[in-house]
Amino acid sequence: MSNIDDILDFNKQFVDGRKYEKYATSKYPNKRMVIVTCMDTRLTEMLPKALNLRNGDAKIIKNAGAIVTQPFGNIMRSILVALYELQADEVFVIGHNNCGMTGLNPELIIQHMEERGVSTETITTLKHSGLNLMRWLTGFDNVRDSVINSVSIIRNHPLLPSNILVHGLIIDSETGELDLVDDAKRQV
């Protein structure tokens, strides 16, 4: 069931055949941009193609739903590192239609966890330890509102340089069409 053997076999051929050479670039994004987007498989190749990005053009941060929920969480830290240490100077939050985080039911996720072996005792312990598991596992009702909220968290962050443009977009996961929902240029 595991893919590890196929991955390692292919990787050996990739390295031995020096196929990595065409991807050579530096750690600094050529287009000086950082993108927060969804981990959706439909976007793996489509998003860079729809934005005319090549390897090395942008720092791309992915998570479930392209959501920034914590002003001092991992996503925001990655954005700040890209801005301060990796020469990025523009931020794009790109959600997409038909996202799996839309209408996500935390109770159903917990049920699935239990079906796959996580004990009810563990779930109860987490609930009583101060973690709001229902909130933590909740998605969003509207991708546009989610993108706008994430843009607002980034744009209003106390550690964000004042000259950084933060844009919000939604990409169509079938066609790649972009819809600009929060234009940083209108905020300046």
Side-chain angles (χ1 to χ4, degrees):
M1 284 295 203
S2 175
N3 292 307
I4 191 67
D5 291 333
D6 289 340
I7 288 171
L8 291 174
D9 289 344
F10 179 86
N11 181 258
K12 180 160 180 31
Q13 294 171 23
F14 180 86
V15 173
D16 290 348
R18 302 175 66 91
K19 293 179 183 173
Y20 56 84
E21 290 175 345
K22 67 181 179 180
Y23 302 106
T25 187
S26 77
K27 66 182 177 180
Y28 303 105
N30 298 325
K31 292 190 176 181
R32 300 180 64 98
M33 56 195 290
V34 58
I35 297 169
V36 177
T37 193
C38 186
M39 65 184 191
D40 191 290
T41 55
R42 295 170 289 183
L43 302 180
T44 301
E45 290 190 42
M46 185 187 306
L47 183 118
K49 298 289 187 212
L51 274 62
N52 191 31
L53 298 177
R54 294 190 329 242
N55 192 54
D57 280 348
K59 294 296 183 187
I60 301 178
I61 304 165
K62 294 184 174 194
N63 72 1
I67 303 171
V68 179
T69 56
Q70 305 275 335
F72 292 94
N74 290 337
I75 300 298
M76 194 64 217
R77 179 182 62 205
S78 296
I79 292 167
L80 292 171
V81 167
L83 295 173
Y84 284 106
E85 298 301 316
L86 300 173
Q87 300 176 358
D89 56 20
E90 194 167 14
V91 180
F92 298 78
V93 176
I94 306 177
H96 67 97
N97 61 345
N98 300 313
C99 183
M101 291 297 283
T102 306
L104 199 62
N105 180 343
E107 291 173 0
L108 187 59
I109 295 173
I110 291 171
Q111 178 185 331
H112 291 156
M113 289 176 178
E114 291 173 336
E115 289 169 0
R116 293 189 66 178
V118 176
S119 71
T120 304
E121 195 174 83
T122 298
I123 301 296
T124 302
T125 300
L126 289 173
K127 287 180 180 177
H128 293 300
S129 67
L131 174 64
N132 183 341
L133 204 51
M134 293 303 177
R135 182 174 178 269
W136 188 65
L137 293 172
T138 296
F140 48 78
D141 293 327
N142 180 298
V143 67
R144 180 185 180 90
D145 293 344
S146 178
V147 168
I148 289 170
N149 184 61
S150 292
V151 166
S152 178
I153 290 171
I154 297 166
R155 193 177 281 148
N156 294 300
H157 198 279
L159 299 176
L160 189 81
S162 61
N163 65 333
I164 298 299
L165 298 177
V166 184
H167 311 278
L169 300 100
I170 297 172
I171 188 169
D172 185 301
S173 57
E174 292 181 20
T175 67
E177 181 179 6
L178 291 170
D179 179 19
L180 181 62
V181 298
D182 194 329
D183 186 356
K185 294 184 292 184
R186 293 188 186 149
Q187 302 295 320
V188 177

